Amino acid sequence: MEFKNKVVVITGASRGIGEATARHFASLGAHVFLAARSAGRIGEIATALSSQGASAHAIACDVSDPAQVSRLVSTATDKTGRLDLMVNNAGVIDPIARLADSDPLEWARVVDINLKGVYHGLRYAIPAMVAQGGGTIVNISSGAATSALEGWSHYCATKAAVLSLTRVADREYRGDGLRVIGLSPGTVATRMQEQIRASGINPVSQLDWSAHIPAEWVAQAIAWLTTEEADPHLGSDFSLKSSEGRRAVGLPQI
Ligand code: NAP
């Protein structure tokens, strides 16, 4: 895959799937822009990548704030003149609680990050991509978008809404050359799964750690989603849980 001089913005790049994605695209020669709230951590990753010859930039950004996401996208486009791939990856699952035990303000905060954060990414990436005649947007989804899990009402509801945003964005902008696609990665060995395990509340929390795939596989899948081979999945969630999905990306079967 050729990503030399392509411009990639990744939200939630301070750890887990986002960090692995930034490292993967940097290794493929892209200009990567890492965004997260932990400014120190994304700065360390960008410095380490740059010392290996990559083009990596850290931009502190809380995706729940539209002004910060607007600044993230304009920093990338001002510096490089384009935006080829936007990965709307930032997301949270804590606090995990059944509906009657949930805190309305904390529940709303998850909507601000998981749903409005993705909307903000679309809102500011789309005009830049329309102006240049194309680009790919990957929204990180979850099996929770289409299933019900105890304690995850905030997470299931926001991921279902993100799938809806993926569908609508595809409907509105495919004709402008944009490729908008969701990625449901299955369970991934990141801090989020540590939080899920600690909750002990539903079957996902009981999974053996060996059931989770490495974040690097998800990064590889995101790269594959930028290719024409993934076009049949535009406007929908592509799942890495199925053996067909993993085979298409070139990942090992489990
Ligand atoms: P993670 O290790 O907990 O990483 C989450 C990332 O999101 C961190 O970089 C965090 O950075 C960032 N983030 C959280 N709130 C943010 C905000 N308001 N603004 C900007 N960045 C924010 O979790 P992960 O597993 O890599 O999750 C990444 C995505 O994959 C999420 O959308 C998640 O729902 C999805 N996913 C994960 C799994 C799984 O099994 N792990 C399965 C399906 C889908 P800061 O805290 O520094 O801001």
Side-chain angles (χ1 to χ4, degrees):
M1 270 175 235
E2 187 49 67
F3 286 95
K4 198 126 201 75
N5 293 326
K6 299 272 190 214
V7 180
V8 180
V9 172
I10 304 135
T11 67
S14 61
R15 58 177 185 267
I17 292 170
E19 176 181 353
T21 303
R23 291 184 183 280
H24 188 59
F25 280 95
S27 77
L28 296 172
H31 300 283
V32 293
F33 290 80
L34 298 93
R37 295 166 302 181
S38 310
R41 180 63 193 140
I42 50 173
E44 283 168 15
I45 300 167
T47 303
L49 289 172
S50 301
S51 73
Q52 295 157 17
S55 168
H57 313 268
I59 300 171
C61 174
D62 183 332
V63 296
S64 68
D65 178 357
Q68 293 187 43
V69 181
S70 172
R71 190 179 60 91
L72 166 66
V73 171
S74 62
T75 304
T77 54
D78 289 352
K79 227 183 217 334
T80 63
R82 49 185 304 111
L83 173 58
D84 297 291
L85 171 65
M86 178 84 189
V87 185
N88 288 314
N89 165 73
V92 293
I93 198 160
D94 258 355
I96 292 170
R98 287 167 189 272
L99 278 161
D101 302 322
S102 61
D103 178 308
L105 293 181
E106 289 179 335
W107 206 97
R109 177 73 187 144
V110 175
V111 174
D112 287 345
I113 297 169
N114 289 11
L115 171 55
K116 287 158 82 176
V118 173
Y119 159 70
H120 297 147
L122 291 163
R123 171 63 185 82
Y124 296 106
I126 286 170
M129 290 180 174
V130 169
Q132 71 193 15
T136 296
I137 301 176
V138 175
N139 295 329
I140 303 300
S141 185
S142 162
T146 53
S147 58
L149 286 141
E150 297 157 86
W152 290 17
S153 62
H154 52 351
Y155 192 78
C156 293
T158 53
K159 291 296 183 183
V162 166
L163 172 55
S164 182
L165 279 178
T166 298
R167 289 185 176 132
V168 175
D170 171 64
R171 177 65 55 88
E172 290 186 352
Y173 294 101
R174 194 189 287 208
D176 293 292
L178 265 64
R179 305 173 67 263
V180 185
I181 192 160
L183 174 60
S184 177
T187 64
V188 188
T190 67
R191 188 185 298 178
M192 186 173 282
Q193 282 297 337
E194 290 170 10
Q195 293 169 324
I196 291 166
R197 169 171 289 208
S199 74
I201 206 168
N202 64 33
V204 184
S205 70
Q206 309 299 322
L207 289 174
D208 193 85
W209 196 256
S210 63
H212 307 319
I213 66 169
E216 289 71 20
W217 290 15
V218 186
Q220 211 175 309
I222 293 169
W224 181 78
L225 290 177
T226 68
T227 69
E228 276 178 15
E229 273 182 61
D231 281 356
H233 306 285
L234 295 179
S236 67
D237 277 354
F238 175 79
S239 175
L240 275 187
K241 267 186 117 168
S242 70
S243 47
E244 303 82 58
R246 287 190 187 171
R247 195 174 306 117
V249 177
L251 296 173
Q253 302 291 328
I254 292 184

